[in-house]
Amino acid sequence: MATSDSIVLYDFFASNCAWRVRNVLHWKGIPYETRSVNLLAGEQHKPAFLKINPYGAVPVLYIDNRFITQSVAICEYLDETRPEKRVFPEDPYEKAQVRRIVEIINSYLVPLQNPTTAKKHSNDPEEQLAWSMDFFTKGFTVVEKLLAETSGRYSVGDDVTFADMALVPQVWRAKRLKPDFSRFPNIMRVYKELLQLEAFGKAHAANHKDCPEDIRGDVC
C-alpha cells in the first residue's frame, strides 16, 4: 500500500511514454516503486486502474500524495518540484528546442507507430508494417533535421534534456520495423551516446523486470 511519502510508477516495460518517466526518475536519482500494468493483457482497462486514470493508459505517477498522468506532465512536475539535474532548460529558446523534438515524437511518431493504431488501418500485417514505416520515415526525417540544428553531444547541446528521454524509447521501439537507420546519422549518434549513461541503462525496457527473456538485455 502506497504511503503519503511513496513514489509509485504504474508502468509497462515497453511503453514509450512510461519509459520516458523511468528515464527521468533514474536521471534525477529519485527512488520509486513499480506497479506493473500489463497492457497486452488489458490490465489498463480494469475498473481499479480506470479509477486512477480514466484514459486507461500508462504512465501514472503517484507522488506527493497525488496521481499524475501523461508523461510530459509528469516529467515537467518532476523537474519543477525536484530541480536537481534539470531536463527542461531554463533558457526559453533552448526549452523550445527541446519541446520541438518532443512534440514530433510524442504527438506524431508514438500514436501513429502504435500497433493498435496500425490495426485500425488494416488487418493485414504487411500493410500495417508499411503504414507504420511510412510515418516512421517522415517523423525520423524531421527529427534528424532538427538534431542537425540543435545537437551537440546530446539532442540539444551538450546537456541531457527531456528530448533525450523521449528519443531513446522511440529509436529502440522502431527497431521492430527494421528501418535503414544509416539514413539518420544524427539520431543514431546521439542515441549511442545516451546508451552509455548509467541512468538510461537502468531505465531501459530490455533491463526491465517484466521484459521477456527473448529480448532481455537487447539495449542496442
Side-chain angles (χ1 to χ4, degrees), residues 115-163:
T116 302
T117 308
K119 289 176 183 177
K120 295 288 186 181
H121 167 69
S122 172
N123 291 322
D124 183 340
E126 290 189 6
E127 287 193 17
Q128 292 173 15
L129 182 63
W131 191 78
S132 295
M133 180 64 82
D134 182 55
F135 289 111
F136 160 82
T137 301
K138 291 176 182 176
F140 265 52
T141 298
V142 173
V143 174
E144 175 68 18
K145 290 179 179 178
L146 291 178
L147 293 192
E149 300 174 14
T150 65
S151 67
R153 185 171 185 179
Y154 304 117
S155 295
V156 180
D158 295 326
D159 294 324
V160 172
T161 68
F162 190 58

Side-chain angles (χ1 to χ4, degrees), residues 160-174:
V160 172
T161 68
F162 190 58
D164 301 305
M165 308 297 176
L167 183 71
V168 168
Q170 190 58 42
V171 174
W172 191 81
R173 288 296 307 277

Side-chain angles (χ1 to χ4, degrees), residues 12 39 49 56 90 96 109 112-113 115 120 132 136 151 154 193 215 219:
F12 180 65
L39 304 186
F49 185 75
E90 295 189 76
L109 278 166
L112 294 174
Q113 281 191 276
K120 295 288 186 181
S132 295
F136 160 82
S151 67
Y154 304 117
E193 284 283 352
I215 57 173
V219 299

Side-chain angles (χ1 to χ4, degrees), residues 8-212:
V8 181
L9 177 64
Y10 292 78
D11 188 17
F12 180 65
F13 84 98
S15 163
N16 285 38
C17 300
W19 187 342
R20 296 171 199 161
V21 178
R22 296 199 304 268
N23 280 337
V24 173
L25 288 167
H26 283 288
W27 179 249
K28 289 178 172 287
I30 300 172
Y32 68 97
E33 303 171 31
T34 296
R35 300 279 175 85
S36 296
V37 181
N38 190 331
L39 304 186
L40 299 179
E43 292 180 356
Q44 70 274 29
H45 301 306
K46 291 185 175 181
F49 185 75
L50 291 174
K51 287 182 180 179
I52 297 171
N53 184 6
Y55 184 61
V58 295
V60 178
L61 190 69
Y62 178 80
I63 187 170
D64 299 334
N65 208 26
R66 300 179 177 92
F67 289 102
I68 306 176
T69 65
Q70 300 297 325
S71 65
V72 177
I74 290 169
C75 294
E76 286 181 335
Y77 181 86
L78 288 171
D79 224 32
E80 291 170 6
T81 60
R82 291 149 177 86
E84 299 79 10
K85 299 182 75 172
R86 296 190 70 94
V87 296
F88 288 95
E90 295 189 76
D91 178 81
Y93 182 76
E94 289 186 4
K95 184 183 291 186
Q97 302 315 302
V98 171
R99 288 184 178 278
R100 288 172 72 196
I101 296 165
V102 170
E103 281 301 313
I104 294 296
I105 294 172
N106 189 51
S107 300
Y108 181 80
L109 278 166
V110 170
L112 294 174
Q113 281 191 276
N114 190 306
T116 302
T117 308
K119 289 176 183 177
K120 295 288 186 181
H121 167 69
S122 172
N123 291 322
D124 183 340
E126 290 189 6
E127 287 193 17
Q128 292 173 15
L129 182 63
W131 191 78
S132 295
M133 180 64 82
D134 182 55
F135 289 111
F136 160 82
T137 301
K138 291 176 182 176
F140 265 52
T141 298
V142 173
V143 174
E144 175 68 18
K145 290 179 179 178
L146 291 178
L147 293 192
E149 300 174 14
T150 65
S151 67
R153 185 171 185 179
Y154 304 117
S155 295
V156 180
D158 295 326
D159 294 324
V160 172
T161 68
F162 190 58
D164 301 305
M165 308 297 176
L167 183 71
V168 168
Q170 190 58 42
V171 174
W172 191 81
R173 288 296 307 277
K175 287 168 57 178
R176 70 182 180 84
L177 302 176
K178 299 181 180 179
D180 178 8
F181 281 121
S182 68
R183 297 177 57 188
F184 311 108
N186 289 305
I187 290 175
M188 297 313 295
R189 173 181 54 79
V190 171
Y191 176 71
K192 290 174 183 177
E193 284 283 352
L194 292 166
L195 292 183
Q196 303 304 310
L197 300 175
E198 182 180 9
F200 283 79
K202 289 180 177 179
H204 202 289
N207 293 328
H208 195 282
K209 66 183 181 66
D210 296 331
C211 182

